[in-house]
Structure formats: structure tokens, C-alpha cells
Amino acid sequence: MRIYKFKRPTFILDIKSAILKALLKNKHKKNSITLKHNTIYVLPSTLGVYFSVVASLNFVMGINYQNNLILFMAYLMFVIIIFALLLGYSNARGLTVSFKYAIESFSPQAPQLVWQIEAADPCQSITLSYPNDLKNACYITRVKNEAIKCQLSLPYTKRGCYQIKPIKIASNYPFGLVNVWSYIQPNKVVYVYPSIIKTTNQKHQNLVANNTDEGTEKHKGDDEFESLITHLPEMGLQRISWKHYAKTQQLLVKQFSDFKSADAQFDFNLVTGDSEQRLGQLCFLVCQAFESDINYSLKLPNKLIASNSGKLHHQRCLQALSQVGNDNE
Amino acid sequence: MNEIKNHRVINFALSFIYLGLVSFFTEHLPLPFIAMLSVLCGWNIYLTVKQKQKPNAWFANGLAAIALIIMLSSIGFKDTVVLFVAMLLLSCVFKLLQAKSKQHYQLIITLTFFSLSAVYLFSQTIFTTLVISTFYILNFAVLGLLESSHSLKLSSKQSAKIMLLAFPLAVILLLFLPKLPAFWQLPGPKMAQTGLSEQVDPFDIAKLSNSDELVFRAKFNGTPPPTPYYWRAIVHDEFDGAAWKTSSFLKQALILPAKKSTSENEAQYTVIAEPAISDWLYGLGFSSSESPNVIANTLGLLRKQQYKSKVLQYAVNSEPLSSTSLNKSQQRFYSQLTVSNNQKSQQLAQQLKNNSANADEFFNQLLSYFSKNEFSYTLTPTPMRGENTLDQFMFTNKRGFCGHYASAAAFIFRSAGIPARVVSGYLGGELNKNSDYMTIRQYDAHAWVEVYTGAGWKIFDATAVVAPERLNGSLSQSTTLNDEFKNNINFGLVSLSNYAAINWLRLELENLDYQWSSWVLGFDKDKQQDLFATLFGNKFIWLVPLGVIIILILSFTTYFIYLNRPKAATKQPPLVNEYYEIIRWANKHAISYPENATPTQTLEHISNQAPHAEQQLTAFCELFKQVRYARHPFTKERKNQAKDLIKLIKSTKQRNL
């Protein structure tokens, strides 16, 4: 029941996280956790504390007026608080939270973590939240026999690479009188890619758009006729060019070729603007290249990614872009 | 999760609770304030039903300031407890009117747990307890609704369930936790004033108390003393020309504690007095009590020390009044008259005095005067006004109730120089045959005269000659006054006591209420010690706290185990569990079988690899086919057959090993 909001000084938060780190050891550094006695923490919530205060007030009133009914109500409240602690623990016990994968994002969008939540026994009111970010917490009313998937947004909107902090699995069941919680910390890094800036930089644009055969490598393919070669027995009869046979009485085979575009090279030094702008433009180029499925390499101030194509390469490039300047993280 | 899913239901339920709470305080809080709270609750319900916006903060705060002024002006600062309750209610209702976030609602709900208990300060009847308990469950349900998206019904069910589980433990705590004395003195709430008053002026009221409210109950130890029972409460010693009052001198004297009585002629009984604003208690004759919280004074009257708001139980020893004697100055004090009106009555006193030799003779003459001169007893006397009201009564109207007779008689005694005082209290009472206790209600209120005739105080009650049946039993049982009484009294069960069934019901309810007062409300330190003594004997008292702790720990552990018990497996179709048992057996003995085969295929595989049990396995397979596929009924015989087969399968393996 926080009515007056005040901001806690940062050193308290630091101390808190240091204590947590020391206490939790590595119990929660897993990709999947099933809550049980040594990983569940139970304490009365703020409401629970207020509830106990009212119970004590009732007790004092009952004693002072020697009123059995008020006294009874006070005892009832005390018993219920203890029941709530037991209920809260039992509710969370057996809950399994597993980290599935991360959805990385372009700044200023926040990356998301995808979780799967299962429970042996029905489990109510579960909240997954990232430290200091209750706003985006992910709330699940009830987990029954089926597994539930949920997405948790992380509070990272700036370009970068972030180690995931311990994520709180909490429940206020029952009546919000207790806080039952645990942590899970997958050993995983999430990236926030630079925000995309459209660029018309000619040098790179040309490279992407240039599909002429000038200076490009030819691959065997079926787009363009290239030459006639002698038929070999293993080639099969269907490939023989009967037109040429009719003219020349030679068994010839048509050879075709693809024009594979030239490898694009995206260079940090070739785009203009400050470093964030440059990264944004590179990001745009990399994505465009990925969509057009061409080979590209990426040259960054202290890193060179060799030419390649495909999804993994694309991801590697984007991750490299997000890490520029903060390699320490 | 900060948004609330059941906004409307929560609002509605809380408004309903507060509306109910307010109705409990109608007697104790001023009407304008009650009306204001009801309107606020009603407004909140209206906003909820119509799904309208709650008033904005500025408007609501302005309104709250006005409400605060209304509250302070109508209640004032005299009664701190009432003021505190009023403030609690007002703040909760206003907070509810403005509540938007979850935190707001949580604050209101927690405070409601306190507001609910506050009702018990003023009323502790069974009815109140039932209603307040329902509100407790409802309040808990609302607390649960804040956290979930259940319906109110489901939430109430859960709430009732947890309450029911907690109930026996709370009872054990109440019974066995040592009763602590009050930490500090708190002001008690002032109760609505009904019944007796410090001033007996029968002439300004036209109707006697028409309330059937319970005043106290009395239970005699052993045989009850002979009737009539005059339950003394207040002594009035000063006549101001119209009314009899308690003089400030007497009030001073009343503070003095009485000496311990030594008489053997004592009646012993226990009184359970209902909460009342006044501090007087009730006793027969010259009473003394050793109960805590009760003071006995020199007039043989009992007074409360504290806990006015509580049902008070105390033991009384009573001895006849006649044993006290007066000295000269006291005699003068009780025979003085400072006014000289009501000349006719004074003349009557002189006339009677001349005809009688001593005070006792005067006593009898006055009694016969009342019986011979066509006086009658009525509950609805003609109002009398002016200077000489006593004369009007004695010589013109001759109709009245106890107050009239007592005032007039005491005046006449004093006019003749005989020490006399008016005493008010209650007369008689209704005996409940089942539980052997007397019930004394507000309509049993009575006033009479005590006269000092040299041989101690004597009771002079003109009612005894005017309406003799009034002396024995309660007014409700009096036959001649019955009709008048029933017309007079408010509609209730007493007014319907002519019907046997209703009368039976009334007496049963009364009995229940008596047990409630005596056992639940009156469960105090003494009763607790008695309970301990009967349960554990005096030697093992120290076991009690230990026992409580053990019981608590045991109950919590049991509950915990119950919560975490392995849930019963979902019911399988027939023979499926048995089939799995064979699979487990096969796994144990490292018999392999294909993973994605049908049960019959699997069983065949197993039987091929376990030739020693082949016969039984084939039999089981047949049975399985019959029951699962051919839809033969799964009878008890088949069930037993399956069990036997499994036993055989297991045992064959063991033998071969």
C-alpha cells in the first residue's frame, strides 16, 4: 500500500543487489527453474504488514475494553495471516518457469524475453518482472495443466548489449497479504540494435543496386545462356540441344549461368554523420542487403565481419553494430 | 499488476458494507451525520451502477471539509470514542468515494477490518455478531478480488473457507491464551440512555417506558429468596417541589465504599448487566459485591467502575435493608422538606400522624388510605401540570403508575417527619424455567419508597395495594394490566406473547441470548481459570500455554501438509492403472517393448520376452481387450481377476529368479 512514492537513493539499491547476489549464489542462474523450498522466498507484503497492524489494534482494543468479540476478530486475523503465508508458499511450489528465446529489437523498441510457464498444481496470480521495472511486468492469472507462454519486455531502449539481470517471479496470492517470490537469471545477453536510419549514400547504394556483370563472379545457374559444351554420357538425353544437333549433327548441351551480384561491403567510414547515425545507416543497409539476399561484409572501427549472407550472418552483423563502442559490456 | 479487474463489484460491496455499518450506529451517532454517511454510500452505489466517473479530488476534498464540520458540530468533542468511530467511518466513506487505484482500495479494506470491530464496542448481540461476521467474509472476498479476476461469489466462497479453517484456531486462542488486563484506560463509548433516570418526575411523562430492551439477568445460587424482588439502583433523597432527585450530598456519600457485610441472612446471585451509559448496577436489598469493576457503597447500591460498553457480570451478596440503622443527623437528613407546596397532601400527612402512635402505624394507615380511596394503576396516566402536582394526583386524578405513588408517598412521609426516600430500580422479572434465571427488562422499571421506622428501612410500595399482581413476576405476566401493557409496548415478540408458539420462540431466543451473554461475552479471567481448573486441574496450569503453542504448531503443520499433499491422480478408465502396473514391472525387469505400440501389442511383446508369465499376460491381455474394446462391463469379478493376474505375474518372476 504505497501511497507516498519516494525514490530510493541509488546506494540502497546497490546494497540490495549486492546482498541479493551474495545470498542467492548461483541457485537461480538457470534457463529453467522449478520453484521449491530452497528457491521460494515468503514474507508478508506491505498490505500484510498493514493487516497485522490492524489486527494488533483490534487486539489492543479487545484487551482494553475486555471485549471477547473484538479479541476474537484479532486472533482470527492473526491466524489468517499465517494461513496466507502457507497458502502463498503452496501456491508457488511446483511452478516451472523456463526461458525460451529472446526477441531482439531495434532501438528505441525494447527487446523481449519469451517464457514458458508450467505448473504441476494450479497456480494463481504470477507476475514476472524485471528489476526496477514493474510497469512492464508480465501478469498471469492462473496456470493450470497447460503451459503458458508470455513475453516480458526489458527496459532497454538504447542501443547496446545487455546481460540479463535476475528476473523476479512473484505472486501475491492469496488476498495480496504475502509476497512469495523467486528469481531466474538465464545466462544470456540481449542486444538492442541501432535504430534504423534510411540512407541514400551512393557508394553503398550502388553496391546494393549494381547487378551488372561487370566485375562480378559468375555462377552456374539457369538465368542467362552462356555457352555450348559437348554432351557427356552422364548428362542425360533431355539436356541435349536438338536444334544444334539438327544443324551440326553434334551432341551439344547449353550451359546457363546466374549473375551473382557483387559482394557489398558496408564500411563505417563510408557513411556520414556521428557514430550513432552511421550505425543506424549501416543497420539499414545490412537489413536491406539481408532482404535482397546478397552477400555483404561489414567493416566497423575495430571489427571486420567477412562477407556472407543468410539469417545468422545478418544477426551477427546487427549484434556487432549494437556492440560498437561498448565492447566491455 | 496495478489495475483492478472488478472495479464495480468492489465498489458496490464496500459501499454495501459501510451502509450496513452505518445502520449499526443509528443509536449512537446523531441523525444528520448518519444521514450524510448514508447519502455518501448511496451516491457511490449510484456512480457504480451508472458507471459514472468518481468526483475529482478537489470537489471531494471540499465536500469532506463540509462533512467534517457537520460531524464536529453534531457530535462535539465530549465523547471521544464516538468521535473516533465517526471519524473512522467518515474517512473510509470519503476515501471510497475517491478511490481509484489498488492502493486506495487496500487502505480502505484494511481500515474496514477496524471499523467492523468498532461496532462491537456498542453492540454485542448475536444478531450483530452474525451480521458483522458476514461483513468480515465479504471484506475478505473483496480483498481477494483486488488480486484476481474471480467473481464475487467464488471469492466469497474462498474467503468463507479460509475463515472457517481459521475459526477453530481463533476459538482456541480466545479460550486458552491468558486474559491480559487492560494495558491502559480508554474512555468507554457512551450508550444511548434508556430506562431509569436520576430524577423521578412522573408528572412530566404521560407514558411509561415502552421498551422491552433487556436490562440485566440474574441467576440465584441455590433457592431464590421470596418475592417480591425489588432491584435497587438509585436513591433519590431530595424533593424540589415537582421531582425527586439525588442530592449532591448523597452523591458524595455514595462514593464511600461499604463495609463488608457479615450477616448470615444473605441471598447470593450473579447478575449479567447489559451495557448502558449509566454507572448504576442492580441488587436486592443491601448489596455488596467482590467482583472486580464493581463498587458497593454505603447505601447498599452497586456501581460500575469501568467498561460501560461491555456486558458486565458480577456476583452479589444481599442482606435485608432493615439491618442498617440511622443516627440522629441522618434521620434529620432523610426527613427534611425544603418546599411547602402541595398543602393538601401535607394536611393529609398531619391528619394521619395524629391518628397514629408511631411510624409503623403511620405506614399502615397510609397504605390503607391508598387501598380505600379508589386509586388505580395505569400505564397511561393523565398528564398533570402546575405547582401542586402531588395534590392533583392524590385528590383529583387518583390514577398513576409507580412514580406517582412513590413521589406522593415519600412526600407524605417526610411531611409527617418520618425519614423516607424514593428508590428507583426494577421490580420482579421474568423467570426462565429452563435455565433458572430472571430476565429484567426496561418495562420492569419501578419506583418505590423506603421508610425508616426505627427498626431499619422498610419498603413502602403503594403499588402493592393498588395493583398487587404487579409485585410478583414481571409486568408482562400481569393479567389485569396485560392489555394495557401490550398496547403500550413497541411491537415485538413480547407484544405477541399471547400466542403459545411465539411465546415459546421468544423464551428460546432469550435462553440463547442468555447463554451468549454468559459464556461468550462474559468469558473473563475468572471463567477462564475455572475452565483451566476443570480441564487440567490446578497442578498443570503451566501446561496451558505450552498446549496452546503445540496445538497451533500442529494445526499449521497439518494445514501445510494438506496444502502440499500430492494431488490425487485423475481418474483413469478401467484397467489402465493395472496396465501401467505391468509396464512398470516390465521396466523393473528390463523387459523391452516398442515405444509406440498399442497396449495389446506391448503386452504381446512383454509376454514373448517373459515366457514364465506368458499365460497370465495373455489372460490379462484378453481381459484388457474385453473391457477396453469389447465394452464388457468392468465388474467386481473382472477387477479382482485383473488384480490376481498382476499378483501372479509378479510372483512368477520372483520364483524363477
Side-chain angles (χ1 to χ4, degrees), chain B residues 2-36:
Chain B
N2 263 317
E3 79 272 27
I4 309 163
K5 273 147 193 137
N6 298 299
H7 222 282
R8 292 183 68 201
V9 184
I10 292 169
N11 247 317
F12 194 78
L14 284 175
S15 306
F16 177 72
I17 289 178
Y18 273 95
L19 215 53
L21 272 184
V22 166
S23 69
F24 274 104
F25 289 107
T26 42
E27 278 177 34
H28 312 285
L29 293 172
L31 199 64
F33 185 66
I34 292 286
M36 187 177 71

Side-chain angles (χ1 to χ4, degrees), chain B residues 343-608:
Chain B
Q343 288 299 326
K344 282 187 184 171
S345 300
Q346 291 197 23
Q347 281 163 20
L348 175 70
Q350 280 307 319
Q351 194 186 324
L352 291 174
K353 194 185 178 183
N354 295 338
N355 294 344
S356 51
N358 55 24
D360 280 318
E361 231 169 275
F362 186 91
F363 183 101
N364 291 332
Q365 291 227 7
L366 185 60
L367 212 54
S368 59
Y369 178 84
F370 277 117
S371 65
K372 279 175 193 156
N373 284 287
E374 290 170 346
F375 281 90
S376 65
Y377 192 88
T378 177
L379 296 174
T380 50
T382 332
M384 289 162 262
R385 284 185 193 82
E387 276 288 290
N388 302 311
T389 43
L390 290 181
D391 280 357
Q392 288 176 41
F393 168 67
M394 286 299 288
F395 303 103
T396 328
N397 279 324
K398 296 188 177 177
R399 291 174 73 249
F401 52 79
C402 56
H404 300 94
Y405 290 99
S407 298
F411 180 81
I412 292 166
F413 275 116
R414 285 209 177 176
S415 303
I418 301 169
R421 60 194 184 194
V422 173
V423 180
S424 50
Y426 296 87
L427 173 62
E430 189 177 13
L431 187 72
N432 188 310
K433 297 236 162 49
N434 296 337
S435 306
D436 201 27
Y437 62 88
M438 309 272 305
T439 308
I440 290 88
R441 296 178 178 280
Q442 226 37 281
Y443 55 66
D444 291 320
H446 193 59
W448 60 95
V449 182
E450 284 174 1
V451 190
Y452 188 77
T453 57
W457 290 99
K458 265 171 93 176
I459 288 175
F460 177 92
D461 189 2
T463 318
V465 289
V466 178
E469 69 270 36
R470 175 72 185 86
L471 287 192
N472 305 308
S474 172
L475 193 60
S476 60
Q477 293 162 326
S478 150
T479 42
T480 42
L481 290 169
N482 207 325
D483 289 342
E484 199 181 350
F485 165 71
K486 272 168 196 153
N487 291 335
N488 194 27
I489 201 126
N490 289 336
F491 183 80
L493 285 180
V494 174
S495 61
L496 294 172
S497 55
N498 276 352
Y499 304 95
I502 290 176
N503 204 31
W504 174 84
L505 181 73
R506 178 178 76 94
L507 291 176
E508 285 302 307
L509 285 178
E510 247 167 46
N511 204 4
L512 187 69
D513 196 52
Y514 168 72
Q515 303 297 352
W516 174 257
S517 306
S518 155
W519 288 106
V520 180
L521 305 179
F523 186 77
D524 53 8
K525 207 171 176 174
D526 295 344
K527 285 209 169 169
Q528 193 181 35
Q529 305 235 298
D530 288 350
L531 180 76
F532 288 169
T534 46
L535 283 182
F536 310 104
N538 282 321
K539 277 185 189 169
F540 301 106
I541 290 281
W542 55 271
L543 272 177
V544 175
L546 196 70
V548 172
I549 292 167
I550 290 172
I551 287 174
L552 281 184
I553 292 173
L554 269 181
S555 331
F556 289 136
T557 322
T558 321
Y559 184 57
F560 186 67
I561 292 168
Y562 163 77
L563 283 176
N564 291 305
R565 73 197 181 280
K567 298 282 185 297
T570 43
K571 206 179 177 236
Q572 298 281 11
L575 282 183
V576 170
N577 284 331
E578 285 82 354
Y579 168 72
Y580 280 125
E581 207 168 324
I582 292 178
I583 296 289
R584 275 198 295 276
W585 169 80
N587 287 337
K588 202 172 147 194
H589 296 283
I591 298 169
S592 64
Y593 49 89
E595 247 173 55
N596 299 319
T598 62
T600 42
Q601 283 170 342
T602 313
L603 286 171
E604 269 165 38
H605 269 274
I606 293 173
S607 68
N608 288 340

Side-chain angles (χ1 to χ4, degrees), chain A residues 43-92:
Chain A
L43 272 184
S45 63
T46 330
L47 176 67
V49 171
Y50 278 82
F51 186 81
S52 314
V53 167
V54 169
S56 313
L57 278 177
N58 271 341
F59 180 72
V60 169
M61 188 154 83
I63 289 285
N64 276 309
Y65 289 105
Q66 298 282 305
N67 192 315
N68 284 338
L69 295 174
I70 299 178
L71 215 52
F72 180 76
M73 286 306 166
Y75 290 147
L76 202 63
M77 287 172 85
F78 284 129
V79 173
I80 280 173
I81 256 276
I82 294 173
F83 273 7
L85 290 172
L86 300 179
L87 264 174
Y89 169 80
S90 311
N91 179 52

